[in-house]
Amino acid sequence: MPAPDHQESLPPGMVLGPDGKPCRTCTDWKSWSKIGKAKAKKDSKESASSPSTSASGAAMAASAVAGSTPDASAASTFNYENECPPDKEILGRATWTFLHTMAAYYPEKPSAMEQTTMKSLLSSFSQFYPCGPCAEHLREEMKVDPPKVESRKELAWWMCGMHNKVNDILGKESFDCNKVDERWKDGPADGRCD
Ligand SMILES: Cc1cc2nc3c(=O)[nH]c(=O)nc-3n(C[C@H](O)[C@H](O)[C@H](O)COP(=O)(O)OP(=O)(O)OC[C@H]3O[C@@H](n4cnc5c(N)ncnc54)[C@H](O)[C@@H]3O)c2cc1C
C-alpha cells in the first residue's frame, strides 16, 4: 500500500502523531511551515489547472508559498503566536508557565487531599499533554523521580528539576533552581517587574 501523501514528503524535524498525521504540537513551526508551503504549492498548481477555483483562493495559495498573506495590511500585523494553533515551542513555553506558576502558588503545607489531587493532576497531565513524545518522556521521568508534593518549595524544585532534564536533552542551559521563586512568584529584587 503506498504511503499517504504527507509521509512521502515528511521534512526533517516533523513528528507524526498517534493518528499517523503530522503532529503540530510535537513539531517546531519552521519544520511545520515546510509542510504548509508544500501543500500550498500543490494547491496552487491544482487551482491553476482548475477553472472553478476562485482568483482569491489562488492568490492565497501562491502567497502562502512565498510565506506571506495576500493582503498586505494583514501581513504586516500577522503574528503566528497570537493567531495560529501552537507549535511545540509555543505550547512548551505556555505549559511551563502554567506548571511553574501552579507550583509557586501551591500551599506551603498542603493537606493529604491536596497532595493526592496534585499527584493526580500531574499524572493526568503527563497522559494528555498534546506533544506525544514529550509526554512519553515525562511519564518515564516521573517513574524514576515521582512528583514531590509535600510542600510548595518541594514541588517548585521538583518542577524545576523536570524542566532542567528537558533543557538538558535539548542542549539548553540549566536553570538555577535557587531562582525559581524569583522567576515565577516574587520577581527580581530590583523591582523591574513590579
Ligand atoms: C512537560 C514538557 C515536556 C517537554 N518535552 C520536550 C521534548 O521532549 N522535546 C522538545 O523538543 N520540547 C519539549 N518541550 C518543550 C520545551 O521544553 C520548551 O518549552 C520549548 O523548546 C521552548 O523553549 P524556550 O527556550 O522558549 O523556553 P522554555 O524551556 O519553554 O522555558 C520558558 C522559561 O522558563 C524558565 N525556565 C527555564 N528552565 C527552567 C527551569 N528548569 N525551572 C524553572 N524555570 C525555567 C526560563 O525563564 C524560560 O524562559 C516540553 C515542554 C513541556 C512542558
Side-chain angles (χ1 to χ4, degrees):
M1 196 171 78
D5 198 23
H6 55 259
Q7 283 188 338
E8 281 168 14
S9 54
L10 215 58
M14 178 61 65
V15 175
L16 296 181
D19 57 0
K21 293 181 182 164
C23 168
R24 188 193 287 256
T25 50
C26 314
T27 306
D28 66 85
W29 183 67
K30 272 189 191 159
S31 308
W32 183 263
S33 66
K34 282 180 192 146
I35 281 238
K37 282 176 189 165
K39 185 177 176 300
K41 210 174 201 172
K42 197 169 156 247
D43 290 351
S44 169
K45 273 186 198 155
E46 280 170 9
S47 63
S49 62
S50 158
S52 62
T53 307
S54 73
S56 65
M60 179 78 84
S63 62
V65 174
S68 64
T69 65
D71 176 347
S73 61
S76 66
T77 57
F78 175 73
N79 179 312
Y80 181 87
E81 187 151 356
N82 290 345
E83 297 178 38
C84 305
D87 71 345
K88 182 178 64 172
E89 309 285 306
I90 292 169
L91 176 69
R93 274 192 291 279
T95 304
W96 285 124
T97 296
F98 164 67
L99 289 174
H100 289 301
T101 309
M102 179 175 69
Y105 289 89
Y106 184 65
E108 298 288 349
K109 290 181 185 167
S111 66
M113 177 65 93
E114 285 170 331
Q115 294 184 37
T116 305
T117 306
M118 180 54 75
K119 274 189 197 158
S120 159
L121 188 159
L122 291 170
S123 167
S124 306
F125 165 84
S126 74
Q127 195 182 334
F128 292 110
Y129 187 63
C131 163
C134 308
E136 194 178 335
H137 171 244
L138 184 67
R139 285 195 297 275
E140 290 307 313
E141 286 296 341
M142 280 171 60
K143 275 187 208 156
V144 184
D145 182 9
K148 294 197 171 61
V149 296
E150 290 79 12
S151 70
R152 190 191 74 79
K153 187 173 179 187
E154 283 195 86
L155 184 62
W157 272 68
W158 178 84
M159 200 68 81
C160 182
M162 279 291 138
H163 194 163
N164 272 340
K165 283 177 191 171
V166 178
N167 288 343
D168 191 40
I169 292 169
L170 300 180
K172 294 184 187 178
E173 206 176 311
S174 189
F175 184 90
D176 176 0
C177 294
N178 284 302
K179 296 191 173 165
V180 83
D181 276 357
E182 176 183 315
R183 172 67 178 90
W184 296 107
K185 192 164 186 272
D186 303 329
D190 65 13
R192 67 182 182 273
C193 297
D194 298 336

